[in-house]
Tab-separated table of all heavy atoms in Angstrom:
chain	number	residue	atom	x	y	z
A	49	ALA	N	-6.042	-35.078	25.753
A	49	ALA	CA	-5.784	-33.910	24.913
A	49	ALA	C	-6.625	-33.976	23.639
A	49	ALA	O	-7.172	-32.961	23.184
A	49	ALA	CB	-4.300	-33.833	24.570
A	50	LEU	N	-6.750	-35.179	23.075
A	50	LEU	CA	-7.577	-35.357	21.879
A	50	LEU	C	-8.999	-34.879	22.112
A	50	LEU	O	-9.597	-34.231	21.253
A	50	LEU	CB	-7.612	-36.838	21.482
A	50	LEU	CG	-6.572	-37.331	20.500
A	50	LEU	CD1	-6.657	-38.838	20.349
A	50	LEU	CD2	-6.736	-36.650	19.148
A	51	CYS	N	-9.545	-35.219	23.269
A	51	CYS	CA	-10.922	-34.814	23.572
A	51	CYS	C	-11.062	-33.295	23.578
A	51	CYS	O	-12.048	-32.755	23.075
A	51	CYS	CB	-11.363	-35.386	24.923
A	51	CYS	SG	-11.861	-37.107	24.826
A	52	VAL	N	-10.067	-32.618	24.124
A	52	VAL	CA	-10.113	-31.155	24.166
A	52	VAL	C	-10.051	-30.592	22.751
A	52	VAL	O	-10.874	-29.746	22.360
A	52	VAL	CB	-8.960	-30.584	25.025
A	52	VAL	CG1	-8.952	-29.060	24.960
A	52	VAL	CG2	-9.080	-31.049	26.470
A	53	PHE	N	-9.089	-31.066	21.967
A	53	PHE	CA	-8.957	-30.582	20.594
A	53	PHE	C	-10.203	-30.916	19.772
A	53	PHE	O	-10.638	-30.124	18.943
A	53	PHE	CB	-7.720	-31.191	19.924
A	53	PHE	CG	-6.408	-30.635	20.411
A	53	PHE	CD1	-5.403	-31.481	20.864
A	53	PHE	CD2	-6.162	-29.265	20.403
A	53	PHE	CE1	-4.180	-30.979	21.290
A	53	PHE	CE2	-4.945	-28.744	20.844
A	53	PHE	CZ	-3.954	-29.603	21.286
A	54	TRP	N	-10.777	-32.088	20.029
A	54	TRP	CA	-11.952	-32.542	19.278
A	54	TRP	C	-13.150	-31.629	19.548
A	54	TRP	O	-13.863	-31.216	18.640
A	54	TRP	CB	-12.268	-33.973	19.686
A	54	TRP	CG	-13.016	-34.779	18.674
A	54	TRP	CD1	-13.862	-34.327	17.699
A	54	TRP	CD2	-12.976	-36.191	18.526
A	54	TRP	NE1	-14.354	-35.370	16.968
A	54	TRP	CE2	-13.824	-36.537	17.456
A	54	TRP	CE3	-12.319	-37.209	19.224
A	54	TRP	CZ2	-14.034	-37.846	17.047
A	54	TRP	CZ3	-12.533	-38.512	18.813
A	54	TRP	CH2	-13.378	-38.829	17.738
A	55	HIS	N	-13.355	-31.319	20.819
A	55	HIS	CA	-14.513	-30.492	21.187
A	55	HIS	C	-14.330	-29.024	20.822
A	55	HIS	O	-15.273	-28.363	20.392
A	55	HIS	CB	-14.796	-30.604	22.690
A	55	HIS	CG	-15.428	-31.898	23.089
A	55	HIS	ND1	-16.679	-32.276	22.686
A	55	HIS	CD2	-14.978	-32.905	23.881
A	55	HIS	CE1	-16.972	-33.462	23.196
A	55	HIS	NE2	-15.949	-33.864	23.924
A	56	LYS	N	-13.110	-28.517	21.001
A	56	LYS	CA	-12.895	-27.074	20.872
A	56	LYS	C	-12.246	-26.655	19.564
A	56	LYS	O	-12.361	-25.491	19.162
A	56	LYS	CB	-12.026	-26.575	22.041
A	56	LYS	CG	-12.726	-26.656	23.376
A	56	LYS	CD	-11.911	-25.954	24.453
A	56	LYS	CE	-12.770	-25.796	25.703
A	56	LYS	NZ	-12.800	-24.439	26.201
A	57	GLY	N	-11.530	-27.590	18.902
A	57	GLY	CA	-10.701	-27.208	17.771
A	57	GLY	C	-9.339	-26.752	18.266
A	57	GLY	O	-9.162	-26.465	19.458
A	58	TYR	N	-8.377	-26.687	17.355
A	58	TYR	CA	-7.014	-26.357	17.755
A	58	TYR	C	-6.903	-24.936	18.299
A	58	TYR	O	-6.357	-24.711	19.379
A	58	TYR	CB	-6.057	-26.533	16.564
A	58	TYR	CG	-4.657	-26.086	16.880
A	58	TYR	CD1	-3.817	-26.893	17.644
A	58	TYR	CD2	-4.177	-24.849	16.440
A	58	TYR	CE1	-2.527	-26.483	17.958
A	58	TYR	CE2	-2.894	-24.437	16.750
A	58	TYR	CZ	-2.071	-25.258	17.513
A	58	TYR	OH	-0.805	-24.850	17.832
A	59	GLU	N	-7.417	-23.982	17.562
A	59	GLU	CA	-7.235	-22.576	17.944
A	59	GLU	C	-7.901	-22.262	19.280
A	59	GLU	O	-7.346	-21.535	20.104
A	59	GLU	CB	-7.772	-21.644	16.846
A	59	GLU	CG	-6.988	-21.686	15.544
A	59	GLU	CD	-5.555	-21.204	15.689
A	59	GLU	OE1	-5.234	-20.513	16.685
A	59	GLU	OE2	-4.738	-21.525	14.806
A	60	ALA	N	-9.089	-22.792	19.501
A	60	ALA	CA	-9.846	-22.444	20.712
A	60	ALA	C	-9.353	-23.194	21.951
A	60	ALA	O	-9.657	-22.793	23.080
A	60	ALA	CB	-11.337	-22.712	20.503
A	61	ALA	N	-8.620	-24.283	21.764
A	61	ALA	CA	-8.115	-25.055	22.908
A	61	ALA	C	-6.923	-24.329	23.524
A	61	ALA	O	-5.903	-24.132	22.875
A	61	ALA	CB	-7.711	-26.457	22.465
A	62	SER	N	-7.047	-23.926	24.767
A	62	SER	CA	-5.956	-23.216	25.432
A	62	SER	C	-5.057	-24.197	26.174
A	62	SER	O	-5.452	-25.337	26.449
A	62	SER	CB	-6.515	-22.190	26.419
A	62	SER	OG	-7.119	-22.852	27.519
A	63	VAL	N	-3.866	-23.748	26.516
A	63	VAL	CA	-2.964	-24.580	27.318
A	63	VAL	C	-3.611	-24.882	28.664
A	63	VAL	O	-3.479	-25.991	29.190
A	63	VAL	CB	-1.592	-23.899	27.485
A	63	VAL	CG1	-0.724	-24.651	28.493
A	63	VAL	CG2	-0.878	-23.814	26.138
Side-chain angles (χ1 to χ4, degrees):
L50 268 173
C51 280
V52 175
F53 287 127
W54 205 333
H55 285 295
K56 292 189 168 232
Y58 175 77
E59 293 296 342
S62 69
V63 171

